[in-house]
Amino acid sequence: MPLLTREEAQAIADRALRASKADAVRVIIGSSWSGNTRFSGNEITTSGGITDTAVSITSTVGKRQASATTNLLDEAGLARAVEQSERLARLSPEDPELMPELEPQTYAEVQGFATATAELDAEKRAAAVRSVFEGVSSIPAVDGVRPADLFVAGFLEATATAQAIANSKGLFAYHRSSDASLSTTVRTPDGTGSGYYERGARDWSSLDPRDIGTRAARKAVASRNPQAIEPGMYTVVLEPQAVSDLLPILRGSFNARSADEGRSPFSKPEGATKVGEKIADERVTIFSDPTDAELLSQPFDGEGLPVKRTVWIENGILKNLAYSRFWAQRKSVEPAGFGGGLKMIGGTKSTDDLIAGTERGILVTRFWYIRFLDQRTVMLTGLTRDGTFLIENGRVTRPLKNFRFNDSPLLMLSRIDEIGRSERVSSGMVMPSLRVRDFNFSSLSDAV
């Protein structure tokens, strides 16, 4: 089933709005298609797809609010969902922070939809997986390990969505988007080497499955027979994937209410915040922008509020925090929500250049199993995975056993030695490689 057009979404919203007897109502319509292919043991194991349209009705009665969702789009199905949301609203407790529905808004035009992604059917996904296998097969045999001996697994998913929001005050917003992602893990037959590579984009045609397979295979062969070194504070070179595993966790800290109420790394005494103060290396600039050519994200949030370009950190200075509509009204400022992806401006050097400039350090492919230790400092713990290497005199010299780390991406931004070129790691995520001083590896891990 094709995605709902703007006109079709508007017609469904109008039917739901006409059925409402609440003081206010908001209708959110999501029309989506997704196709996925999973491969393991050097062959495709599953392939599937989902097509659905769901309508969520949020009704407001006085200061009470509740929602109901349906995928029955006929008149009777919509009417039942509207009536159920109204009944639940009357049973709900009053919400002292409830905000009125928005008046009509103006939104940026964002072309985040690619036909190549929306048409990535099972046959085309299978061809892409074959290209991954060809990429793995293209590497040379090393120390008796042949490409044919490598274990290859991964996941390919493509999605296309149409999202619409309408309310009883006349607001209507509509946006189409697409997303493709391909990840590959390659293991050596002895089980000691593992390589990983993942990339995503709005437009599937911009991805190279063969290259993804080649990169993962090379990393797997290079990481065989890792050796242990003592945990401690090391200079690290973080590949863009590793950076994208850590920095987006900062987004939750850019919350104005948490900062104002003293619950944030950006809080100061007596309700003040660190906005306008230096919190990172002066080369650090991080922003969200739905119109950025490498992000192309939805230009409105779940209430229909426009999502605009927001610079969170500029030249190391904390520039902005995110304000919900309620908290913005409380503080007499303009609301500014999350959204618009996340991008860190990079430099001109490649990851190889960062390695060449490292006297002694550790190269990290990626992190996983990340958990919070302390919200106030954004202190995290987690593990390295799928390729960790020792750097000596500007060269990668040997694979290392994985580490557990205890460190903060926020504090890390003040210990940067060098920023590499930015790369689009996934749809809505653009990050550079980084060389960082004194990264804290707290213990070893036997996991591959």
Side-chain angles (χ1 to χ4, degrees):
M1 183 178 72
L3 300 181
L4 292 177
T5 65
R6 184 184 186 92
E7 291 72 25
E8 290 169 335
Q10 179 85 70
I12 292 171
D14 287 345
R15 293 206 306 273
L17 291 170
R18 285 196 299 269
S20 174
K21 299 179 177 63
D23 298 333
V25 62
R26 184 191 319 150
V27 182
I28 299 178
I29 302 168
S31 173
S32 64
W33 166 85
S34 68
N36 67 80
T37 298
R38 190 182 301 276
F39 49 103
S40 181
N42 305 51
E43 63 181 10
I44 291 174
T45 55
T46 63
S47 182
I50 300 172
T51 302
D52 192 21
T53 297
V55 181
S56 177
I57 315 292
T58 300
S59 294
T60 302
V61 179
K63 297 287 286 184
R64 307 172 191 272
Q65 191 176 76
S67 300
T69 301
T70 184
N71 57 7
L72 300 176
L73 306 183
D74 62 339
E75 204 84 34
L78 287 173
R80 281 196 298 273
V82 170
E83 192 275 332
Q84 184 181 32
S85 70
E86 292 173 357
R87 187 170 67 250
L88 291 172
R90 294 186 183 95
L91 295 172
S92 299
E94 290 192 349
D95 181 357
E97 299 182 4
L98 185 67
M99 297 296 294
E101 293 296 323
L102 288 164
E103 302 285 345
Q105 305 288 307
T106 301
Y107 305 105
E109 287 290 330
V110 177
Q111 301 299 325
F113 178 85
T115 302
T117 305
E119 294 180 350
L120 196 65
D121 58 20
E123 184 176 352
K124 292 176 182 176
R125 297 195 303 273
V129 174
R130 285 195 294 272
S131 293
V132 172
F133 295 154
E134 290 170 1
V136 173
S137 299
S138 70
I139 71 167
V142 178
D143 297 332
V145 179
R146 303 173 304 161
D149 297 328
L150 299 173
F151 180 95
V152 186
F155 188 67
L156 167 58
E157 184 173 33
T159 62
T161 61
Q163 186 86 357
I165 298 178
N167 70 23
S168 49
K169 288 194 173 180
L171 177 145
F172 184 78
Y174 176 86
H175 176 69
R176 287 197 313 166
S177 66
S178 60
D179 182 19
S181 63
L182 172 59
S183 63
T184 300
T185 301
V186 179
R187 295 285 179 96
T188 58
D190 62 2
T192 67
S194 181
Y196 178 88
Y197 200 75
E198 177 182 5
R199 283 296 180 264
R202 302 289 176 202
D203 186 349
W204 165 254
S205 63
S206 68
L207 299 181
D208 185 346
R210 182 186 174 94
D211 181 64
I212 290 172
T214 299
R215 288 174 180 266
R218 287 175 177 167
K219 189 70 66 77
V221 172
S223 64
R224 288 172 304 141
N225 301 314
Q227 301 174 33
I229 64 172
E230 283 298 314
M233 311 287 276
Y234 287 90
T235 293
V236 292
V237 175
L238 306 179
E239 294 188 1
Q241 177 67 55
V243 176
S244 74
D245 292 332
L246 295 182
L247 283 192
I249 298 173
L250 275 178
R251 277 191 288 196
S253 299
F254 295 128
N255 183 291
R257 184 171 186 172
S258 295
D260 291 333
E261 292 180 341
R263 298 180 284 111
S264 162
F266 306 129
S267 299
K268 293 179 67 176
E270 299 180 1
T273 71
K274 295 181 181 179
V275 172
E277 297 184 9
K278 187 175 185 294
I279 62 166
D281 185 281
E282 59 272 8
R283 291 167 292 181
V284 173
T285 294
I286 299 174
F287 66 89
S288 301
D289 184 356
T291 65
D292 184 274
E294 293 186 297
L295 299 176
L296 298 177
S297 303
Q298 183 170 292
F300 51 86
D301 69 8
E303 294 181 277
L305 184 71
V307 174
K308 302 176 182 178
R309 176 184 171 89
T310 303
V311 179
W312 306 107
I313 302 173
E314 184 175 41
N315 299 326
I317 306 297
L318 180 63
K319 298 295 290 186
N320 289 289
L321 296 172
Y323 284 83
S324 67
R325 292 177 59 212
F326 170 78
W327 201 247
Q329 183 185 66
R330 173 76 66 88
K331 295 295 181 178
S332 300
V333 300
E334 287 294 316
F338 292 111
L342 197 67
K343 183 174 182 177
M344 179 173 175
I345 294 179
T348 59
K349 294 183 178 181
S350 67
T351 303
D352 287 341
D353 292 333
L354 268 58
I355 293 170
T358 305
E359 182 177 347
R360 191 170 192 271
I362 294 174
L363 173 64
V364 178
T365 297
R366 69 169 179 140
F367 297 106
W368 76 298
Y369 207 65
I370 300 169
R371 298 292 185 269
F372 265 100
L373 293 175
D374 179 22
Q375 297 274 356
R376 286 292 304 269
T377 59
V378 203
M379 185 63 66
L380 308 173
T381 188
L383 300 169
T384 64
R385 188 177 187 181
D386 297 314
T388 305
F389 302 89
L390 182 66
I391 303 169
E392 295 176 298
N393 300 317
R395 294 176 56 250
V396 172
T397 56
R398 55 191 165 112
L400 297 176
K401 282 196 171 184
N402 284 307
F403 295 96
R404 174 169 292 281
F405 75 90
N406 290 345
D407 214 323
S408 163
L410 176 60
L411 301 179
M412 183 182 80
L413 292 178
S414 295
R415 306 195 307 268
I416 290 176
D417 270 341
E418 193 72 66
I419 300 177
R421 285 196 296 265
S422 289
E423 299 180 17
R424 184 177 54 209
V425 180
S426 62
S427 298
M429 190 68 60
V430 178
M431 291 290 153
S433 51
L434 295 176
R435 187 170 67 231
V436 179
R437 302 180 304 274
D438 297 328
F439 193 87
N440 182 28
F441 292 115
S442 57
S443 62
L444 291 171
S445 169
D446 286 328
V448 177

